[in-house]
Amino acid sequence: MSKPLKKYKKELKSLFNNVPKEKKPVYDHICKTIDEYPNVDTMSYDELVEQFGEPENIYYQYINDNDLYSPVQKHKRSYKKIFITVLVLILIAFVVEFISIAYEARKSFIDREVVEITYDN
């Protein structure tokens, strides 16, 4: 493998490290496609870029085509999960507090007797 080809694949690999694990075979498929191209070992880096495109462009095209989340979107999703979890915990706390208050109210209920006093005249 020539130095330009190694450099090209190394750049691709560094970009595809951000892809989810189930999508990793895509990098292998891209490398296989590049390797099958005739005379790829004799090409310079510029010829590789001209033939296949910039590694960044390949990566971003793949991301856009497969509707993968960017790191910013992943953080937004994690914030949503945290928000929903906190909201559920707060609701559970309110329900437990309400049940506790209702239990204490029933426990402290005083039975009252009605006493009638009658006066004889």
Side-chain angles (χ1 to χ4, degrees):
M1 187 182 310
S2 67
K3 282 188 178 184
L5 184 57
K6 280 184 182 179
K7 180 182 175 186
Y8 191 82
K9 285 184 178 182
K10 186 176 179 180
E11 287 181 19
L12 270 174
K13 186 174 184 174
S14 69
L15 291 167
F16 275 89
N17 280 337
N18 299 326
V19 176
K21 288 181 181 178
E22 64 271 5
K23 303 291 185 178
K24 289 280 185 187
V26 172
Y27 167 75
D28 297 331
H29 177 72
I30 291 171
C31 286
K32 186 178 177 182
T33 303
I34 291 171
D35 289 338
E36 290 174 353
Y37 194 80
N39 300 325
V40 74
D41 281 335
T42 60
M43 292 179 152
S44 69
Y45 185 83
D46 292 333
E47 290 172 330
L48 287 168
V49 168
E50 186 178 312
Q51 184 62 40
F52 301 108
E54 289 283 339
E56 294 87 8
N57 292 342
I58 293 171
Y59 172 73
Y60 290 122
Q61 184 65 39
Y62 174 75
I63 295 295
N64 290 335
D65 289 348
N66 290 291
D67 198 28
L68 295 177
Y69 295 105
S70 71
V72 172
Q73 290 170 324
K74 286 183 183 179
H75 287 294
K76 285 182 182 178
R77 286 181 52 199
S78 67
Y79 287 132
K80 284 181 184 178
K81 287 180 184 178
I82 292 170
F83 177 76
I84 290 171
T85 303
V86 168
L87 185 65
V88 167
L89 291 174
I90 290 171
L91 289 174
I92 290 172
F94 278 126
V95 169
V96 168
E97 183 66 23
F98 177 75
I99 290 171
S100 172
I101 290 171
Y103 174 75
E104 290 296 322
R106 264 190 264 131
K107 191 170 97 174
S108 68
F109 180 73
I110 300 174
D111 288 328
R112 297 185 182 146
E113 291 183 28
V114 176
V115 179
E116 285 185 29
I117 301 176
T118 56
Y119 295 104
D120 288 330
N121 292 18

